[in-house]
């Protein structure tokens, strides 16, 4: 593979750090598109490009001639209770920030050839036990609306001739951050168990497969549009928590009651823990992408 010039926003995050590490190790020149207020960025090889999405500041010339921009930035959806102002921050950090990037890139004579912009399986909303793939219509709750507008913010780039790809990530699993890292202490103290009825589907994916899928999208020039980035074997929450407990060698005896979750987390409990969505990575599988960790047990055995 040729060495590419790549810019990554959100490079200090869970996915960004692992991705930059892999890209730098592969010999690519990687620049981090870094918020001016932040100094905690991933190890990159091509320097830093400053932006201030909250104040609408970015110098697009620094992105001119880039082979690929990978846009992962967005305020964590699980860092605070979803008050109206927190929901606005979650939305603005994705939709407004993406519009800024896209508007600026559209003005370049040499825009990035490829633009990979993070999205989420939350775009589908609640689907019970019905199988969901990329052809499934978008949902209509808070997260679905945010993800939908986030993806649509990239449409001017498509019109500009840039190859645009939206990896729709499921729950990304890593011991270093995200949902799994939050669950681990509870399970280790034997306070973990199924969430609510446990019948809701959780569409998970191992972090190494997320990194590989993004790297594949970068070089597979026929890839464009939305791709579900989830393991090919989604599980109910009860199966997930049972597998996690088995791998840790602890019992999963304490189910978290729905009323308690709603009391503690508010609306976030329904959106992140109780919503059911059985997502399949149809387009990745059809394209021949091979998951290193299609099953949860073997991934947890190496990760924990
Ligand atoms: N992890 C998952 O399970 C999952 C699932 C579905 C979708 N996603 C999406 O994939 C993307 C990357 O996920 P991640 O897990 O790596 O996220 P993360 O660990 O929360 O990192 C996101 C990065 O976005 C930047 N950021 C934070 N607040 C921001 C704000 N207010 N405005 C602009 N940028 C801000 C930060 O990077 P800098 O400080 O370097 O700017 C941060 O490190 C996110 O957009 C997330 O919504 C993740």
């Amino acid at each position: 593979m040729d060495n590419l010039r790549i810019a990554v926003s959100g490079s200090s995050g869970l996915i960004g750090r692992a991705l930059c590490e892999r890209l730098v190790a592969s010999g690519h020149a990687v620049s981090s598109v870094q918020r001016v207020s932040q100094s905690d960025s991933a190890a990159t090889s091509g320097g830093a490009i400053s932006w201030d999405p909250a104040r609408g500041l970015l110098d697009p010339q620094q992105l001119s001639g880039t082979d690929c921009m990978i846009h992962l930035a967005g305020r964590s959806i699980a860092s605070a209770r979803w008050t109206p102002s927190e929901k606005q921050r979650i939305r603005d950090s994705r939709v407004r920030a993406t519009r800024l990037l896209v508007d600026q890139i559209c003005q370049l004579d040499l825009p990035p050839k490829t633009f990979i912009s993070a999205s989420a399986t939350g775009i589908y909303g609640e689907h019970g036990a019905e199988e969901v793939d990329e052809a499934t219509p978008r949902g209509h709750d808070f997260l679905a609306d945010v993800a939908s507008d986030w993806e649509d913010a990239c449409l001017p780039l498509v019109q500009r001739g840039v190859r645009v790809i939206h990896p729709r990530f499921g729950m990304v699993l890593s011991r270093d951050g995200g949902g799994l890292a939050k669950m681990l202490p509870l399970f280790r103290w034997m306070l973990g168990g199924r969430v609510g009825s446990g019948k809701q589907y959780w569409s998970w994916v191992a972090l190494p497969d997320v990194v590989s899928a993004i790297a594949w999208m970068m070089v597979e020039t026929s890839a464009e549009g939305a791709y579900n980035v989830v393991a090919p074997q989604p599980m109910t929450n009860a199966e997930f928590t049972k597998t996690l407990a088995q791998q840790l060698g602890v019992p999963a005896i304490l189910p978290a009651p729905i009323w308690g979750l709603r009391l503690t987390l508010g609306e976030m409990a329904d959106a992140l823990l109780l919503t059911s969505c059985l997502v399949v990575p149809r387009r990745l599988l059809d394209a021949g992408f091979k998951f290193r960790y299609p099953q949860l047990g073997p991934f947890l055995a190496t990760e924990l």
Side-chain angles (χ1 to χ4, degrees):
M1 192 202 305
D2 289 343
N3 289 348
L4 303 175
R5 267 187 68 201
I6 303 164
V8 181
S9 77
S11 62
S12 65
L14 178 68
I15 299 174
R17 277 182 183 276
L19 178 69
C20 289
E21 200 181 301
R22 174 96 66 95
L23 295 177
V24 170
S26 304
H28 300 297
V30 183
S31 307
S32 105
V33 179
Q34 211 177 309
R35 285 176 301 152
V36 281
S37 51
Q38 310 298 312
S39 54
D40 183 26
S41 72
T44 51
S45 50
I49 298 171
S50 298
W51 75 321
D52 188 341
R55 292 169 58 211
L57 300 176
L58 169 75
D59 175 5
Q61 285 308 325
Q62 294 176 294
L63 295 170
S64 179
T66 305
D67 292 297
C68 182
M69 161 101 212
I70 303 170
H71 176 40
L72 300 170
R75 181 176 172 81
S76 166
I77 58 169
S79 57
R81 210 177 157 91
W82 284 4
T83 59
S85 54
E86 177 62 13
K87 283 165 97 171
Q88 195 61 45
R89 281 191 284 271
I90 289 171
R91 187 183 159 77
D92 286 349
S93 71
R94 292 180 170 75
V95 182
R96 277 184 59 190
T98 304
R99 284 188 189 138
L100 168 69
L101 258 181
V102 167
D103 286 352
Q104 300 284 320
I105 287 175
C106 278
Q107 293 168 29
L108 292 172
D109 290 335
L110 275 179
K113 294 187 190 80
T114 301
F115 192 84
I116 300 176
S117 190
S119 181
T121 55
I123 199 165
Y124 300 112
E126 161 71 41
H127 276 273
E130 175 199 337
E131 205 171 86
V132 164
D133 68 14
E134 292 87 350
T136 302
R138 299 169 179 191
H140 293 289
D141 54 29
F142 169 64
L143 287 183
D145 289 345
V146 169
S148 196
D149 292 346
W150 193 14
E151 289 192 7
D152 288 348
C154 296
L155 286 173
L157 286 180
V158 178
Q159 283 144 17
R160 182 79 170 72
V162 175
R163 185 168 69 94
V164 175
I165 305 158
H166 299 290
R168 293 176 174 168
F169 302 123
M171 181 176 33
V172 179
L173 299 186
S174 163
R175 62 172 173 243
D176 297 327
L180 179 63
K182 285 198 172 78
M183 281 181 253
L184 282 177
L186 283 175
F187 276 77
R188 287 198 167 114
W189 298 330
M190 295 190 213
L191 295 172
R194 65 163 210 267
V195 179
S197 72
K199 290 181 183 159
Q200 68 278 29
Y201 277 88
W202 277 10
S203 295
W204 62 276
V205 60
L207 181 59
D209 280 329
V210 169
V211 171
S212 298
I214 297 173
W216 175 85
M217 289 166 187
M218 214 174 65
V219 296
E220 181 54 60
T221 50
S222 64
E224 56 188 332
Y227 285 81
N228 293 334
V229 181
V230 293
Q233 201 185 70
M235 303 172 107
T236 63
N237 164 265
E239 290 164 341
F240 184 102
T241 46
K242 189 172 160 202
T243 309
L244 176 57
Q246 274 168 352
Q247 289 297 333
L248 289 169
V250 297
I253 41 179
L254 281 181
I258 292 176
W259 64 266
L261 291 167
R262 288 192 177 132
L263 193 68
T264 325
L265 301 173
E267 186 184 342
M268 205 200 293
D270 285 272
L272 301 188
L273 301 172
L274 300 168
T275 288
S276 182
C277 204
L278 197 176
V279 184
V280 288
R282 178 93 60 219
R283 294 194 68 209
L284 280 178
L285 292 176
D286 286 352
F289 179 83
K290 296 273 179 282
F291 285 84
R292 184 164 161 206
Y293 297 108
Q295 294 179 330
L296 183 63
F299 170 63
L300 293 177
T302 62
E303 184 71 0
L304 301 181

